């Protein structure tokens, strides 16, 4: 053991969160390691060009010194056997094969919940909705410190020959996806192959891609294996609150295969067709845009369009106009159009809603 980092061949710095920052029953207010530990890493990196940082922590931390060190071993909280496991990794006795099950942001205000957490008056709103973790960073084009699914190894893997067993399918069918993975390094190791699905053109807001499968494989040096995934309806579906069920929108989807959410190695497209038409459900709070394609509403919409003074002729976006008007608003609007003499009643609107709710769409 040497006292001066500059005199060491390799400098290993063990660091982690304190009990007050890494405990149950409370939320963290920052993502920093203790200041003195960051300072120690900076000092070591300033005096030695080969610094390894071992981080022991229960959650993501900022690493402002990352570009100054040779490597980082993320151990999380490994229990009483962690010391011997770390030693085996450092000396190369075993090949680390773990991947991150979360995204590490560069800084706290990169996170999707930054503006909403911790809330106020003992109330927190989860406004990020679907956009948690990699789904947010992808869609917002925010580069993380480490992406979801990331992890280095003492060997390398090549991906090739991605195949789908069909180019077009019904949502009642299953899709078989195969990809070849080869260990191109000199060490045996494990790789976690990740499969994501992207809805190329969706009628609802969806993440840019969604993890739908993963497989961990062990490969000897030079060995190659084929990894197989089977995707069913749920791999392509979204939960449609209008019908209170999972729904597949007919159209094109992209299958993405990679080593992490940011390291995608291969892709292929498939067209998925909804087997059964969707029975729509409307209420008085549905908008005119929601019903604009319903034949039963055509006459009503034509009448209301006459009251918009041409809409698009005035430079207005008609879809935006229709999206701003709820069906229940037709009652006072029709009275205004008729000068208060004759308008549309709630009974008539409810009859229209019932008729349209029996219709279906693909």
């Amino acid at each position: 053991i040497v006292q001066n980092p500059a005199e060491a061949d390799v400098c290993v710095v063990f660091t982690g969160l304190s009990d007050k920052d890494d405990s149950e029953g409370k939320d963290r207010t920052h993502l920093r390691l203790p200041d003195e530990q960051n300072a120690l890493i900076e000092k070591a990196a300033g005096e030695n060009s080969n610094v390894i940082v071992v981080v022991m922590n229960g959650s993501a931390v900022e690493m402002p010194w990352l570009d100054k060190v040779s490597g980082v071993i993320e151990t999380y909280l490994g229990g009483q056997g962690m010391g011997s496991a770390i030693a085996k990794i450092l000396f190369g006795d075993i090949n680390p094969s773990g991947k991150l099950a979360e995204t590490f942001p560069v800084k706290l205000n990169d996170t999707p919940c930054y503006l909403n957490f911790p809330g106020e008056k003992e109330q927190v709103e989860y406004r990020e909705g679907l956009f948690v973790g990699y789904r947010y960073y992808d869609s917002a084009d925010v580069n993380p410190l480490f992406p979801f699914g990331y992890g280095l190894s003492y060997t390398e893997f090549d991906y090739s020959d991605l195949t789908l067993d069909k180019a077009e399918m019904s949502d009642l069918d299953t899709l078989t996806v195969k990809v070849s993975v080869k260990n191109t390094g000199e060490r045996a190791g494990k790789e976690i192959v990740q499969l994501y699905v992207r809805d190329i053109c969706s009628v609802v807001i969806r993440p840019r891609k969604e993890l739908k499968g993963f497989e961990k494989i062990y490969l000897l040096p030079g060995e190659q294996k084929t990894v197989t995934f089977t995707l069913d309806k749920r791999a392509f579906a979204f939960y449609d609150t209008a019908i209170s069920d999972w729904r597949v929108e007919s159209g094109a989807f992209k299958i993405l295969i990679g080593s992490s959410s940011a390291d995608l190695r291969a892709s292929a497209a498939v067209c998925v067709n909804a087997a059964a038409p969707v029975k729509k459900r409307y209420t008085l709070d549905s908008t005119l845009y929601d019903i604009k394609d319903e034949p039963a509403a055509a006459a009503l919409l034509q009448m209301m369009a006459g009251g918009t003074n041409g809409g698009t002729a005035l430079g207005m976006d008609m879809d935006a106009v229709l999206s701003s008007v709820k069906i229940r608003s037709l009652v006072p609007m029709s009275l205004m159009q008729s000068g208060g003499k004759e308008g549309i009643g709630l009974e008539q609107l409810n009859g229209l809603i019932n008729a349209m709710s029996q219709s279906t769409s693909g």
Side-chain angles (χ1 to χ4, degrees), residues 137 221 227-228 287 334 359:
Y137 294 95
V227 180
T228 302
T287 68
S334 63
S359 66

Side-chain angles (χ1 to χ4, degrees), residues 77-92:
L77 303 177
Q80 67 183 44
M82 184 166 63
S84 59
I86 293 172
K88 290 178 180 178
I89 292 173
L90 288 171
F91 285 97

Side-chain angles (χ1 to χ4, degrees), residues 279-328:
K279 182 175 289 187
K280 297 182 178 180
R281 298 179 184 179
Y282 300 110
T283 69
L284 289 172
D285 288 320
S286 299
T287 68
L288 298 190
Y289 183 84
D290 295 332
I291 66 172
K292 70 182 181 70
D293 295 323
E294 291 286 352
L300 179 64
L301 292 172
Q302 183 62 38
M303 180 189 72
M304 297 310 301
T308 62
N309 296 320
T312 53
L314 296 176
M316 300 169 62
D317 183 342
M318 184 55 67
D319 284 348
V321 173
L322 295 178
S323 296
S324 67
V325 180
K326 293 184 176 181
I327 294 177
R328 67 170 65 252

Side-chain angles (χ1 to χ4, degrees), residues 340-352:
K341 298 178 182 179
E342 184 178 358
I344 301 172
L346 282 177
E347 184 177 349
Q348 183 180 352
L349 288 181
N350 282 321
L352 175 64

Side-chain angles (χ1 to χ4, degrees), residues 171-172 248 273-278 361-362:
D171 63 2
L172 299 179
V248 173
N273 298 309
V278 177
S361 66

Side-chain angles (χ1 to χ4, degrees), residues 60-265:
V61 294
E62 297 173 357
M63 301 182 186
W65 33 258
L66 183 62
D67 60 348
K68 302 176 184 177
V69 301
S70 298
V72 176
I73 299 177
E74 171 58 68
T75 69
Y76 286 107
L77 303 177
Q80 67 183 44
M82 184 166 63
S84 59
I86 293 172
K88 290 178 180 178
I89 292 173
L90 288 171
F91 285 97
D93 295 336
I94 61 171
N95 187 356
S97 302
K99 298 291 184 83
L100 291 177
E102 61 182 322
T103 303
F104 274 45
V106 175
K107 54 188 183 299
L108 181 64
N109 56 351
D110 284 344
T111 59
C113 63
Y114 177 70
L115 295 178
N116 305 319
F117 183 83
E120 57 186 358
K121 298 180 180 178
E122 298 184 348
Q123 180 173 331
V124 182
E125 295 183 11
Y126 291 85
R127 294 189 178 183
E128 58 266 39
L130 293 172
F131 295 94
V132 176
Y134 72 90
R135 298 177 173 197
Y136 167 77
Y137 294 95
D138 283 354
S139 301
D141 288 324
V142 175
N143 291 324
L145 187 67
F146 296 113
F148 171 82
Y150 177 86
L152 296 180
S153 169
Y154 291 152
T155 189
E156 296 182 349
F157 302 93
D158 277 354
Y159 290 63
S160 63
D161 302 325
L162 172 63
T163 61
L164 312 182
D165 71 333
K166 53 181 71 73
E168 187 169 358
M169 60 182 284
S170 159
D171 63 2
L172 299 179
D173 299 330
T174 58
L175 179 70
T176 301
V177 180
K178 295 184 178 182
V179 64
S180 294
V181 181
K182 182 177 182 179
N183 183 344
T184 59
E186 298 179 354
R187 294 286 303 271
K190 297 177 182 179
E191 171 70 334
I192 302 176
V193 183
Q194 300 161 44
L195 184 152
Y196 298 83
V197 172
R198 175 181 299 164
D199 190 344
I200 294 177
C201 184
S202 175
V203 295
V204 297
I205 296 174
R206 299 188 70 169
R208 188 172 293 177
K209 63 177 178 287
E210 302 170 51
L211 180 71
K212 297 300 180 180
F214 60 92
E215 190 74 27
K216 190 169 188 175
I217 57 173
Y218 176 80
L219 294 172
L220 296 171
E223 185 179 9
Q224 180 170 304
K225 289 183 180 179
T226 297
V227 180
T228 302
F229 298 94
T230 301
L231 304 181
D232 59 13
K233 175 180 178 178
R234 283 293 297 272
F236 306 98
F238 65 92
Y239 190 80
D240 190 342
T241 56
I243 62 174
S244 300
D245 199 359
W246 292 92
R247 171 189 170 192
V248 173
E249 179 190 0
S250 296
F253 292 80
K254 186 167 285 189
I255 307 301
L256 306 165
I257 298 286
S259 183
S260 79
S261 62
D263 183 9
L264 302 174
R265 308 289 185 88

